[in-house]
Structure formats: C-alpha cells, structure tokens
Amino acid sequence: MAANLDGRLIVAISSRALFDFEEENRLFEATDDTAYRQLQLARLDQPAAPGVALSLVRKLLAFNQGDERAQVEVVILSRNDPVSGMRVFRSAQHYGLNIERGVFTRGTNPWRYLKPLNAHLFLSANEDDVRQALAAGIPAAKVYPQSAHASAAHPHEVRIAFDGDAVLFSDEAERIYQSDGLQAFQRHEAAQSRQPLPAGPFKPLLEALHRLQHEGSASPKAMRVRTALVTARSAPAHERAIRTLMDWHIDVDEAMFLGGLPKGDFLREFEPDFFFDDQTGHVEHAAAHVPSGHVVAGVRNVAGGHR
C-alpha cells in the first residue's frame, strides 16, 4: 500500500525557519547560489545552529513517541538546492528530529507542493512564499529568524499563541476599525456579538491542534497542547471572539484581551513555542521575547507594503 499522511498534523518548514542559516543566506544574497552551495557542502558535517522554530518542531514530533502511528509529520520545504539539502537532513538528525521527507526547489517558489502535502502550517523566512501559501488557503507565516528562542520551561507542552482578527478570524472587523475607527469597531462587534466571525487563515491549524490534543495520550508525561488567544480586542468586542470559538467547538486555554497594550510582555509570561500575528508592529515587539511569525494576510498586509 502506498504511503500516506492521512490523519496527521502536517507542518511544512523551510530550512531557515528550522535552522540558523543566516550567515549562509547573507553569502547567497551577496554572491550566487554556487558559492552558497559550496559553503553548505564544506559544512556538511557541521550541524547548523538551532533556528527559531526548532523547539516547536521538536515538541510536535514528540507526540509520535510511543505511538504505533505517527500523529505529526514535519516536511522540509525549501528553496535550497538538493546538495545543500543534505546538510539540512544531517542537522535534523543531529538534533534527533525524525524528519524523513523534504522538497528542495533550488530557488523557485516551493508553495505549490503544500497542496499535495495537505499542510496545516507552512513556516518560511521568505515573504513571497508565505503570501502565496496564504492565497492558496494554507496557514502560513513569515518567521523572524532574529526572534528570541523558546523557553525550555514547558518540555511536555506545545504552547502556541494566536492573534485574533486576520489570523484565527477573518479581517471583517479589522476593516471596520481601519475605515471608521475604534468606536465604530466596538459598536459593530457589540451589535454582532452573537454572530460568529468568519474563519481566518489559521483556523485550520487551530482545528488540527484541537484534534491532536484530544487524540493524545492521557499519561501525565505525554505531550499536551496549550493555546492562547492574544488580541488587541477589549470589552465589549471580546464577546464575539469567545462566541466564535464556542461556535467552532474549539477551546483555547488562555485568552488575553489587551485593548491595544503591547503584546510582547504578556507573551513573555505565556512562553509560547510560537506566536502568530498579522501586524508587523506586534510581531517585532513580540520577537524580542518569543519565537514569532508574521501572518501576511488581511487588510493590514495589502500587497506592496505594510501599514
């Protein structure tokens, strides 16, 4: 019988999201892919340093321990050439990451391979790749390689924090805020409090994490998922967000309605393995404290620039 990935949470990740290839990438940008390839080949036996998403990947793969059938699949999806890909796989092996599959496209956009993978998440340092993945309906984020790395304080929990509007939810309400201001936004959300928000680009990931949590082992040492909604919303706009999650039959463990306060300090206390937000300002502030990714979606991320 042919192999398949049915029923698994599938994460596609670029080499720069998983490992610290920033020095190598600077060489690539300053010269060409030939010099980059030669450097990667020269360092074939030198494991790359951990990247910003390595903690997330390690914890997700830990869900497979002791299971007859894997619950999580991580696939390298990279603009690297196949020769450089050897170092990626060797680095993964060095860190004990059971990653068997990879696609290396030598400079061309790899997003088209997300569909046959049925990926629930794509993490990449390339904004164009992220934009195209999101346009194809795949949850995707541009990682900030300079982000702080995840805390080691929660070895048995995968902790993920999400912004609300334009991430878990659509940007419907955000468009009202942008066009008519805060008071109009608050009035609209209070009036629509019992009307669920349309789904945003990261709802499929939240659903997959919800399934992973409820299908996992009951052992006290088993891996668990802990999620947080971290949003600039405040009362009375909080109610629509909560009721939307209830309508989806999905629980989050924590919800922070911050009313515009900087999110980074709160995220530092939550200690996520990754945080997703659509606003560059929030991501940049958070990246000083936790691994962070920019969801290049919604009205604030119209093609051609950020607002």
Side-chain angles (χ1 to χ4, degrees):
M1 182 180 295
N4 69 75
L5 304 179
D6 294 348
R8 302 184 194 185
L9 186 154
I10 300 167
V11 175
I13 188 165
S14 75
S15 56
R16 283 179 63 201
L18 188 56
F19 300 116
D20 183 352
F21 282 142
E22 295 314 294
E23 180 185 350
E24 291 87 344
N25 187 64
R26 285 192 291 272
L27 175 66
F28 174 80
E29 292 179 345
T31 56
D32 56 31
D33 72 336
T34 301
Y36 172 86
R37 176 180 174 179
Q38 290 173 342
L39 178 61
Q40 292 285 38
L41 190 58
R43 294 179 173 180
L44 187 59
D45 295 319
Q46 178 183 329
V52 68
L54 190 138
S55 172
L56 173 66
V57 167
R58 174 181 281 143
K59 287 184 177 182
L60 285 172
L61 287 172
F63 274 90
N64 296 337
Q65 294 176 4
D67 265 336
E68 293 182 2
R69 190 179 187 285
Q71 295 179 279
V72 176
E73 182 80 16
V74 176
V75 180
I76 305 294
L77 195 58
S78 172
R79 286 176 174 257
N80 265 314
D81 63 274
V83 172
S84 301
M86 290 195 298
R87 189 179 181 211
V88 178
F89 274 122
R90 288 200 186 186
S91 296
Q93 185 178 31
H94 171 80
Y95 290 105
L97 304 177
N98 186 17
I99 299 176
E100 300 178 346
R101 294 178 169 88
V103 176
F104 301 94
T105 64
R106 195 171 187 177
T108 63
N109 193 326
W111 73 269
R112 61 192 184 276
Y113 297 110
L114 292 165
K115 282 292 189 180
L117 285 170
N118 293 316
H120 296 99
L121 175 64
F122 176 48
L123 294 175
S124 172
N126 187 292
E127 182 172 313
D128 288 339
D129 291 354
V130 167
R131 283 186 181 274
Q132 292 188 66
L134 287 163
I138 308 293
K142 176 189 174 185
V143 302
Y144 276 41
Q146 73 275 19
S147 295
H149 285 207
S151 165
H154 309 283
H156 299 295
E157 283 188 341
V158 176
R159 292 184 160 221
I160 302 183
F162 300 90
D163 180 33
D165 297 289
V167 179
L168 288 183
F169 316 127
S170 79
D171 68 344
E172 170 194 291
E174 179 65 28
R175 288 179 179 275
I176 292 173
Y177 175 76
Q178 289 292 307
S179 62
D180 300 324
L182 178 60
Q183 290 186 340
F185 165 82
Q186 296 281 31
R187 287 194 301 269
H188 179 269
E189 293 304 282
Q192 299 291 319
S193 63
R194 294 182 178 274
Q195 179 67 34
L197 282 154
F202 270 64
K203 183 190 176 186
L205 176 60
L206 184 62
E207 289 177 320
L209 290 170
H210 186 75
R211 289 193 299 271
L212 184 65
Q213 173 75 309
H214 289 276
E215 293 170 2
S217 169
S219 166
K221 292 186 178 180
M223 292 300 297
R224 300 178 296 275
V225 177
R226 188 169 186 84
T227 53
L229 170 65
V230 184
T231 174
R233 284 175 177 252
S234 59
H238 72 294
E239 185 170 334
R240 192 178 187 195
I242 294 173
R243 287 186 177 276
T244 297
L245 294 171
M246 291 171 62
D247 183 75
W248 294 349
H249 303 289
I250 294 177
D251 296 323
V252 294
D253 298 290
E254 301 189 25
M256 306 176 200
F257 299 99
L258 300 181
L261 291 174
K263 297 181 180 182
D265 296 336
F266 293 87
L267 289 161
R268 184 186 62 230
E269 301 304 318
F270 179 65
E271 297 180 307
D273 293 290
F274 227 86
F275 166 60
F276 298 104
D277 201 295
D278 70 303
Q279 296 187 38
T280 54
H282 290 317
V283 177
E284 289 166 359
H285 189 264
H289 306 285
V290 299
S292 301
H294 179 206
V295 180
V296 195
V299 66
R300 287 181 175 267
N301 292 291
V302 293
H306 308 306
R307 290 192 289 167

